[in-house]
Amino acid sequence: MFDRFTQKTGLGQFTQKGTELRHARLEETRLLNDLAVEQKEVALINTAIDKSQAYDQIAVTEFLGTKKCNSVNHFKTFQIAMESLKKAMDDVNNVDHQWTKAERQEVGEMRRLVKEMASSGVSDADRTSIEGDEKILLEFYIKGNKAVKKALSAFNDVHKFHETVDSALLKRHYNSPGNVNLVVDLTGDPKLMSALGKIDTLMPVIRSSLAEAVKAEEDAVAMTISLAKRIKDKWLVK
């Protein structure tokens, strides 16, 4: 009983149960939930970066670089690399929607917390500090979201040009069982070569945008952990 009656928060010493900021606990829970989404997105984006490098190796370094497709198996690795990259980008897109939803909920809960702080007599300095950290966190959200959208947009174009290459190789060269070891000179198809050139231009955009998103979200992870700890240490009953 003595411990209960001498618990403290940033508001001072209290003598009854429940004298902590209600929305501080809700906000701490919200931040920890957001953290799980942030960490998941970082992992998925890193996977997408790896898959983009694997696809670039075949489409740009091998096909465009040598201007040849060496066999049916070479062609199939090109197809499989795109399938893997597409799945990775779809996963990034799906978790990005979760993060955007988390951002909206975060804004609402933080506003409720700041309102409760004001009504409970929390100093302007403390409220301003919390609001400042929250603003920085939301800026990381926005930066990461923009980078992901840029990467997804570039990928959609890559996928379109990939289909041009895929269709040309399949229909003209690898649609017969007897063509297993056929080496195709890609320069014979200007449209195919143009598509590979466009892919070459777009792949760095995908990788750089994904890398930018990872940086923003890693910053968001660090800020989320820090903010959740500050709220727990200062505004929740010990």
Side-chain angles (χ1 to χ4, degrees):
M1 291 298 290
F2 177 81
D3 287 342
R4 169 62 61 187
F5 290 130
T6 58
Q7 287 171 339
K8 297 181 179 181
T9 70
L11 293 173
Q13 184 168 309
F14 296 103
T15 57
Q16 57 182 310
K17 183 179 180 180
T19 50
E20 64 182 7
L21 294 180
R22 175 176 176 270
H23 285 288
R25 188 163 295 282
L26 293 175
E27 174 62 3
E28 184 208 19
T29 300
R30 164 63 52 201
L31 286 167
L32 293 177
N33 289 339
D34 293 349
L35 179 61
V37 178
E38 292 163 8
Q39 291 172 326
K40 180 180 179 181
E41 186 157 18
V42 169
L44 290 175
I45 292 175
N46 279 324
T47 296
I49 291 174
D50 290 342
K51 299 301 182 182
S52 72
Q53 291 170 337
Y55 178 77
D56 189 80
Q57 170 64 30
I58 299 171
V60 177
T61 303
E62 297 176 15
F63 278 16
L64 184 62
T66 68
K67 299 179 176 58
K68 292 179 181 179
C69 179
N70 296 322
S71 64
V72 166
N73 284 340
H74 198 193
F75 173 52
K76 286 182 177 179
T77 60
F78 174 68
Q79 293 178 312
I80 292 169
M82 172 49 72
E83 290 171 5
S84 297
L85 176 56
K86 185 177 186 307
K87 181 182 183 305
M89 296 302 289
D90 286 344
D91 288 343
V92 168
N93 187 34
N94 291 335
V95 78
D96 189 62
H97 288 315
Q98 295 178 35
W99 204 29
T100 301
K101 179 180 179 181
E103 176 190 349
R104 292 196 301 269
Q105 294 172 332
E106 175 64 35
V107 170
E109 189 54 56
M110 179 55 71
R111 286 175 179 171
R112 287 186 284 271
L113 173 58
V114 171
K115 184 177 180 180
E116 185 183 13
M117 283 179 163
S119 65
S120 299
V122 175
S123 70
D124 290 342
D126 280 328
R127 292 203 310 275
T128 300
S129 176
I130 289 291
E131 288 178 299
D133 283 352
E134 179 69 7
K135 181 179 179 181
I136 293 172
L137 178 58
L138 294 179
E139 286 173 353
F140 290 146
Y141 279 165
I142 293 169
K143 185 175 181 179
N145 182 260
K146 285 183 177 178
V148 166
K149 289 189 181 305
K150 184 176 180 180
L152 290 169
S153 177
F155 170 74
N156 287 337
D157 289 337
V158 165
H159 189 263
K160 178 179 66 176
F161 293 122
H162 168 90
E163 289 297 314
T164 297
V165 178
D166 182 276
S167 178
L169 287 172
L170 180 62
K171 291 179 180 178
R172 299 175 191 174
H173 304 289
Y174 295 120
N175 58 355
S176 170
N179 292 340
V180 172
N181 296 316
L182 176 66
V183 177
V184 177
D185 180 359
L186 303 179
T187 60
D189 189 334
K191 186 177 179 181
L192 182 155
M193 288 297 294
S194 175
L196 286 173
K198 297 291 179 56
I199 291 171
D200 184 25
T201 300
L202 289 164
M203 289 306 297
V205 177
I206 294 175
R207 289 195 301 275
S208 63
S209 297
L210 291 177
E212 183 180 350
V214 167
K215 176 62 168 62
E217 293 177 26
E218 286 178 339
D219 288 340
V221 166
M223 178 60 75
T224 298
I225 293 171
S226 174
L227 188 53
K229 184 176 186 304
R230 285 187 57 205
I231 289 172
K232 179 179 180 180
D233 289 348
K234 193 162 187 178
W235 307 116
L236 300 185
V237 170
K238 311 275 193 306

